[in-house]
Amino acid sequence: MTDDEQENLRDIELTSLTSIYPELQQVHADDRYTLVLDVPVTPVKPVTVFFPAAAEANTPGSAARLRDGAADGANGRPLDSHELAHLPSLRLELSFGPNYPAEEPPRVSLLTTPPWLPAETLRKLEGDAARLWEEMGRDMVGFTYIDHVQQSVDDVFGLVGDSGTLEVDPRHKIGILDFDMEARKAAFQKETFSCGVCLDPKKGSACHKMMDCGHVFCVSCLQDFYNNAIKEGDLANVRCLEPNCAKEREKAAESSKRRKKPRTFISPSELLQIPLEQDVVQRYVKLKYKNQLESDKNTIYCPRSWCDGAARSKKHKKPEGLKLSEPEDSESSDDEGQHTDGSGKTKPYNATTELLAVCEDCGFAFCSRCFQSWHGQFVVCYPRRKNGELTEEDKASIDYLKRYSTPCPTCAAPAQKTHGCNHMICYRCRTHFCYLCSAWLDPGNPYGHFNQAPSGMTTGCYMRLWELENGDGEDVGNGNEGGGRGRELGDDEEERFVPLIEEPEDEEEPEVVAPAMPAGGQGAAPHQGEEARQDNGQVGIAREGPLVLRIAANQPAGAGRGGPRRAPAPQQGQQGARGGGHQQGQLGQGPPPRGGGGRGRGQRGRGGGGGPRGLRQNNQANQANQQRGQQQRRNANINHDEAPGARDDQDEGDHDGGELNPEQRAWVRQFVQLALVDQEDILFEDDEEVGGWVVG
Amino acid sequence: MASGSQKRLAKEYADCTKTPPTGMSIHLANESDLHKWHVTLEGPAGSVYAGGRFGLIITLPTDYPFKAPDVRFATRIYHPNVTNDNQGGICLGLLKSGNWKPSTRLLSVLEAIRGLLAEPQPDDPLEARIAHEYQNDRKEFEKNARSYVNHYAKGPVKFDVAPPNVNASGSSKDGAAPSR
């Protein structure tokens, strides 16, 4: 073979190789027959790479996918293992000598950076060049060889065993992991994703893959959402945007029996990677820490009013920079505060460790009992009295909180309901609780508290899920005066109506003190009228409860509406009277009306005579109400003017509760029957007679 | 962000109208406003609500999808998870502010509501009494639910109920009580 031919063959091969592998490089300017090719090492399926005895050489920087301390080695020994899809590529240098291909095989040298492939593997692979050259009959072997190397990448040159694992010298760990991360990133950026928020297809380079769960969203949606959430302080929503993501991970963690709850919030470093602005992330860290402190009832705050920092504690570490330390598991941290050592024995009391607190912000050392500057351990001090130093304003707000808020059972954060049902979730610590009684509720079945348990047991809040639906307090909710109360009374649905529930707080309801009109009480009338006007303004009847109530007691239908909270007499009165029309028979012949409980006052007046007269007045009032329903307040006064004598009696009778005697019942029945035909006046034509009839 | 919100809404609306979920038809309350949808939902066959047509009003906040939509029944319905009043509030986990995820689509919200009709969730009730009845006296429940369907959910669907969350002082007290 001539030199020309030789030359020719080399050139032919060179041309064909460079057209097959355009990425081939000629690194030596003076030697065009030396070619370099980077062969990517991407096994068919990701391999588990482990680094024997490298557990201590931990490298937090590249440990993103580190399966924390995974102990899943086949033989049970802890492995530092990682599943990798990309390994550092293999640099192949191929050079055709002057006597190639006829007399010498191509010169091959292989190299990886870092040198993670064992030398003998490389030598063997290099040797394959000569072997293949021989097998081909000493012909042009370039393509065959490159192809051979590329093929053998599939199982990482035979290094991957049956178990799919690859052992690599721990010295190269960082390099290998970094390479994999970079390669994944590059692959990710080339892909296209449909962002679940804006629903637009986005290139991977404009997307972010959540570190913990792998969901992908576009960067601008993530930025918008998290910036907004952090701005509003809605930390609980700074998590993956995929529906049910956190829930599913929790479930998965439960099934794998790992005690530690998976982290569902996003780490500050990931927020920075998205990327979010530094100061937003700073705020996130700050709020998160504040949240931790505030959720802990034991947190002690610095007494310096300009500081208000928290005392240093082992449980909550003040974040440094953007690094947020998670609170330790409650099991382990809870007993740090206790003075017990490992053996469970109580340590001797030590004033310094118990009482000395140091502010983490200003460094002030103070006593956590008396909140004075630290006085040494031998001073006896007393807890600071809290109420003594409050201003009026403070008191008012504490008062308001007491009245219109319910504390979270976990962190004691007060919650005020503006609308909705009584199943609350604490805005601070996400505890589920009952607004009515502050009981902790099972997040899995929070409504059970308001329903009947399978055993038939009920709580005090049974069927009260919707009390105070329009909010609690004077200025919340839908503007119904008195929060949800108006709603409850005025609701047109009897389905919603819950009988026999005592409202705990009844401020708005006018205390229906029956005829609370002492002699000469004219002056008091306006006041009472005013009070009652808040509630439909039916004062005349409100004051004259007894008869009306007794009628109502016989009217289940009528009583139903007004009943939820010692319904004010006026409504009862109207309904009772109205109902009477339909149920005359029952009224007339039915069982004698009962004494109407607390309102049934005024019958057993002094000397027995007061009762009936009082009753009569009630009747008049009732009648007046029926006839002139709009002017009750005036009626009240008119009634008093008409029957001035009754007042004393009623006032007296008011203090005794009691039953009607048979005569009284008969009289009532008679009155009602007459009243229904509008002739009750007959009864009053002769006042003397009536009085005599009763006394007799 | 507002434009992103509009874009997503337009896309969702197009998807929903092109292939509406079974038994639903979807319209905008007002052609120029993507933030209020009127959905007519047919009671799922085989359920007590079959044969009824229910109006749903979906109000989308301006920062949708970051904030959950407000979904209400415009038609009265006797159901453990729907408030039994003219507000028609629905208890649906994925709509609660703590649970709402921006990547939840209205399509899945609508399907969840349809699922709720096919299968009430008495363990998670808005109307404890109805839930109780559903669990313990199914016949009575079905009777009541059917009578509501006959009373309210026949004929053309009306969407002119009181808008949600307005400062309707006293309106829930005396107003808008449909005669029965």
Side-chain angles (χ1 to χ4, degrees):
Chain A
M1 222 181 275
T2 64
D3 271 8
D4 274 358
E5 265 177 274
Q6 202 78 276
E7 208 74 349
N8 209 8
L9 280 176
R10 284 206 292 174
D11 281 330
I12 290 170
E13 177 146 31
L14 209 60
T15 321
S16 60
L17 278 180
T18 43
S19 55
I20 298 173
Y21 302 107
E23 64 272 32
L24 270 177
Q25 296 166 352
Q26 287 170 326
V27 284
H28 304 297
D30 53 337
D31 178 8
R32 36 195 295 263
Y33 298 106
T34 297
L35 301 168
V36 169
L37 180 69
D38 280 324
V39 182
V41 185
T42 44
V44 202
K45 53 181 190 208
V47 287
T48 309
V49 177
F50 68 91
F51 305 94
E56 66 277 5
N58 236 334
T59 48
S62 57
R65 281 173 308 281
L66 196 145
R67 294 207 232 130
D68 24 43
D72 50 1
N75 43 12
R77 73 195 155 106
L79 291 178
D80 183 13
S81 67
H82 307 260
E83 195 163 276
L84 304 182
H86 308 270
L87 292 159
S89 50
L90 179 71
R91 170 160 286 221
L92 187 157
E93 194 175 305
L94 197 62
S95 116
F96 304 124
N99 298 325
Y100 173 84
E103 284 155 42
E104 60 168 4
R107 287 193 294 274
V108 175
S109 88
L110 296 168
L111 179 76
T112 56
T113 340
W116 60 277
L117 271 179
E120 64 262 35
T121 310
L122 292 177
R123 296 294 90 76
K124 181 169 167 284
L125 210 55
E126 283 167 4
D128 283 348
R131 183 172 58 82
L132 286 171
W133 174 73
E134 288 286 355
E135 278 172 14
M136 289 192 64
R138 305 188 161 201
D139 203 350
M140 294 183 290
V141 78
F143 170 75
T144 315
Y145 181 67
I146 293 175
D147 190 54
H148 168 74
V149 172
Q150 284 179 331
Q151 297 287 334
S152 45
V153 156
D154 286 353
D155 60 350
V156 197
F157 319 107
L159 289 171
V160 175
D162 292 337
S163 55
T165 55
L166 174 70
E167 192 174 320
V168 173
D169 191 314
R171 276 178 301 172
H172 310 309
K173 180 172 161 178
I174 298 177
I176 285 185
L177 292 181
D178 278 353
F179 180 86
D180 182 64
M181 207 149 81
E182 287 300 319
R184 278 179 200 248
K185 209 159 141 195
F188 174 81
Q189 291 186 340
K190 275 185 212 143
E191 268 181 87
T192 305
F193 298 92
S194 173
C195 171
V197 179
C198 59
L199 308 181
D200 279 338
K202 294 269 171 106
K203 269 264 169 271
S205 47
C207 289
H208 173 80
K209 187 175 187 175
M210 306 305 285
M211 276 179 184
D212 290 326
C213 55
H215 291 119
V216 176
F217 299 97
C218 84
V219 167
S220 78
C221 283
L222 287 175
Q223 283 174 335
D224 282 346
F225 185 78
Y226 293 141
N227 279 334
N228 186 48
I230 293 172
K231 196 172 129 215
E232 289 180 357
D234 185 10
L235 299 187
N237 265 332
V238 181
R239 52 183 178 164
C240 175
L241 305 188
E242 189 70 15
N244 294 329
C245 174
K247 212 185 270 174
E248 270 157 29
R249 274 187 286 158
E250 244 158 65
K251 217 177 269 171
E254 252 166 50
S255 58
S256 73
K257 286 181 191 157
R258 274 172 61 187
R259 239 188 31 183
K260 211 173 161 194
K261 252 178 101 181
R263 194 186 56 166
T264 53
F265 70 88
I266 301 174
S267 72
S269 61
E270 179 165 6
L271 289 178
L272 283 174
Q273 273 182 34
I274 287 175
L276 255 52
E277 295 285 333
Q278 174 104 8
D279 50 346
V280 174
V281 180
Q282 188 71 59
R283 178 176 155 81
Y284 173 71
V285 171
K286 211 175 99 193
L287 288 178
K288 201 100 191 155
Y289 177 63
K290 192 163 165 256
N291 216 346
Q292 272 178 29
L293 289 175
E294 285 175 357
S295 311
D296 188 344
K297 282 184 205 165
N298 299 323
T299 301
I300 298 162
Y301 291 96
C302 177
R304 286 174 164 172
S305 53
W306 49 265
C307 173
D308 270 345
R312 285 176 200 158
S313 85
K314 286 183 195 158
K315 201 161 155 191
H316 308 289
K317 296 251 167 35
K318 193 180 180 186
E320 286 164 25
L322 293 177
K323 231 182 131 200
L324 187 64
S325 66
E326 279 182 65
E328 294 155 43
D329 278 355
S330 49
E331 302 90 86
S332 62
S333 51
D334 262 3
D335 34 21
E336 278 192 27
Q338 319 282 336
H339 23 102
T340 52
D341 57 17
S343 61
K345 279 183 203 149
T346 307
K347 277 185 198 161
Y349 178 80
N350 180 332
T352 307
T353 54
E354 291 295 310
L355 292 179
L356 174 61
V358 179
C359 173
E360 64 183 12
D361 287 349
C362 69
F364 181 51
F366 59 97
C367 169
S368 63
R369 186 192 283 156
C370 68
F371 288 91
Q372 302 297 319
S373 60
W374 182 237
H375 42 56
Q377 54 175 312
F378 300 114
V379 173
V380 178
C381 64
Y382 299 96
R384 173 172 69 165
R385 210 185 301 140
K386 282 194 175 140
N387 289 331
E389 302 161 16
L390 294 176
T391 62
E392 280 302 310
E393 213 172 307
D394 286 344
K395 264 186 218 150
S397 69
I398 288 176
D399 205 46
Y400 186 90
L401 284 180
K402 248 185 220 159
R403 196 178 300 190
Y404 297 123
S405 75
T406 305
C408 164
T410 306
C411 70
Q416 181 182 27
K417 190 171 86 171
T418 56
H419 66 278
C421 68
N422 284 321
H423 165 215
M424 309 293 283
I425 299 175
C426 178
Y427 69 97
R428 192 187 279 163
C429 66
R430 316 299 289 171
T431 299
H432 295 240
F433 66 96
C434 167
Y435 190 75
L436 295 175
C437 67
S438 186
W440 178 89
L441 302 182
D442 178 5
N445 179 19
Y447 300 100
H449 180 70
F450 305 96
N451 291 337
Q452 200 164 19
S455 62
M457 294 274 285
T458 55
T459 65
C461 302
Y462 176 57
M463 301 276 256
R464 294 173 67 191
L465 178 63
W466 284 97
E467 261 177 46
L468 298 174
E469 184 189 350
N470 288 339
D472 186 12
E474 283 146 1
D475 48 1
V476 297
N478 285 355
N480 279 328
E481 121 189 51
R485 280 150 212 159
R487 168 66 180 269
E488 199 174 290
L489 261 187
D491 202 318
D492 49 283
E493 295 307 316
E494 63 237 332
E495 286 91 346
R496 183 183 288 287
F497 158 68
V498 186
L500 295 175
I501 283 173
E502 278 289 330
E503 267 285 324
E505 7 174 324
D506 260 349
E507 304 90 8
E508 283 82 5
E509 186 190 334
E511 264 299 337
V512 187
V513 185
M517 199 59 100
Q522 294 284 15
H527 164 70
Q528 194 170 18
E530 210 170 291
E531 197 181 44
R533 229 178 331 169
Q534 290 177 356
D535 193 291
N536 299 346
Q538 298 178 341
V539 74
I541 285 311
R543 287 173 46 245
E544 316 291 1
L547 168 69
V548 164
L549 260 186
R550 260 172 260 121
I551 290 176
N554 250 358
Q555 307 281 324
R561 181 71 45 99
R565 63 173 80 147
R566 304 180 305 159
Q571 289 194 339
Q572 299 266 17
Q574 281 188 320
Q575 285 170 355
R578 232 185 287 129
H582 309 295
Q583 306 197 13
Q584 195 178 351
Q586 198 194 336
L587 251 188
Q589 296 141 28
R594 275 189 299 123
R599 272 320 115 77
R601 293 176 275 208
Q603 304 87 342
R604 259 190 230 153
R606 144 174 60 118
R613 286 168 86 187
L615 275 174
R616 195 188 63 231
Q617 197 199 349
N618 296 340
N619 299 337
Q620 279 181 315
N622 193 19
Q623 168 209 355
N625 185 43
Q626 284 176 335
Q627 291 170 346
R628 287 164 283 169
Q630 301 305 312
Q631 304 170 18
Q632 297 89 347
R633 188 173 155 225
R634 197 140 50 87
N635 288 342
N637 294 335
I638 290 167
N639 281 336
H640 282 289
D641 294 337
E642 279 172 0
R647 273 189 229 127
D648 287 340
D649 301 336
Q650 271 189 319
D651 193 29
E652 280 285 307
D654 205 353
H655 301 297
D656 315 320
E659 300 281 319
L660 288 176
N661 60 36
E663 293 95 323
Q664 288 168 334
R665 273 188 229 137
W667 187 90
V668 169
R669 242 175 261 140
Q670 189 192 2
F671 169 79
V672 169
Q673 275 173 341
L674 286 170
L676 289 168
V677 292
D678 242 4
Q679 288 175 353
E680 71 276 25
D681 285 3
I682 298 170
L683 282 175
F684 303 110
E685 265 157 21
D686 188 348
D687 225 323
E688 287 307 308
E689 195 206 307
V690 175
W693 171 67
V694 171
V695 172
Chain B
M1 199 206 87
S3 69
S5 165
Q6 287 286 336
K7 219 165 133 194
R8 162 156 171 173
L9 270 178
K11 200 171 284 181
E12 285 208 71
Y13 181 68
D15 282 356
C16 283
T17 43
K18 209 166 81 192
T19 46
T22 344
M24 293 193 206
S25 65
I26 296 160
H27 301 280
L28 293 179
N30 167 353
E31 278 307 317
S32 60
D33 180 11
L34 276 168
H35 289 270
K36 193 148 207 164
W37 295 18
H38 283 175
V39 179
T40 305
L41 162 64
E42 281 164 27
S47 75
V48 285
Y49 306 104
R53 289 159 63 81
F54 300 90
L56 283 172
I57 298 179
I58 303 184
T59 314
L60 297 141
T62 47
D63 43 2
Y64 178 82
F66 291 174
K67 294 280 153 36
D70 179 275
V71 186
R72 283 163 190 277
F73 271 91
T75 310
R76 292 282 297 263
I77 180 168
Y78 192 84
H79 190 289
N81 308 100
V82 182
T83 58
N84 192 2
D85 58 16
N86 56 334
Q87 300 277 311
I90 303 173
C91 178
L92 199 58
L94 74 147
L95 291 181
K96 287 183 188 160
S97 65
N99 292 348
W100 170 256
K101 291 297 186 76
S103 52
T104 312
R105 309 258 208 121
L106 281 170
L107 206 63
S108 45
V109 171
L110 288 173
E111 257 151 25
I113 289 170
R114 197 184 140 79
L116 211 57
L117 291 201
E119 199 173 331
Q121 294 171 4
D123 293 330
D124 201 11
L126 273 182
E127 291 289 345
R129 201 197 57 76
I130 298 179
H132 191 255
E133 186 179 272
Y134 178 81
Q135 281 171 316
N136 298 306
D137 191 352
R138 188 64 64 90
K139 269 209 182 105
E140 184 65 23
F141 167 80
E142 287 177 357
K143 201 185 98 198
N144 285 331
R146 287 211 177 90
S147 86
Y148 263 57
V149 170
N150 287 330
H151 200 293
Y152 297 107
K154 299 284 184 182
V157 174
K158 288 195 198 104
F159 290 99
D160 51 353
V161 295
N165 295 331
V166 289
N167 227 353
S169 82
S171 80
S172 62
K173 205 168 190 172
D174 26 64
S179 57
R180 285 212 247 129

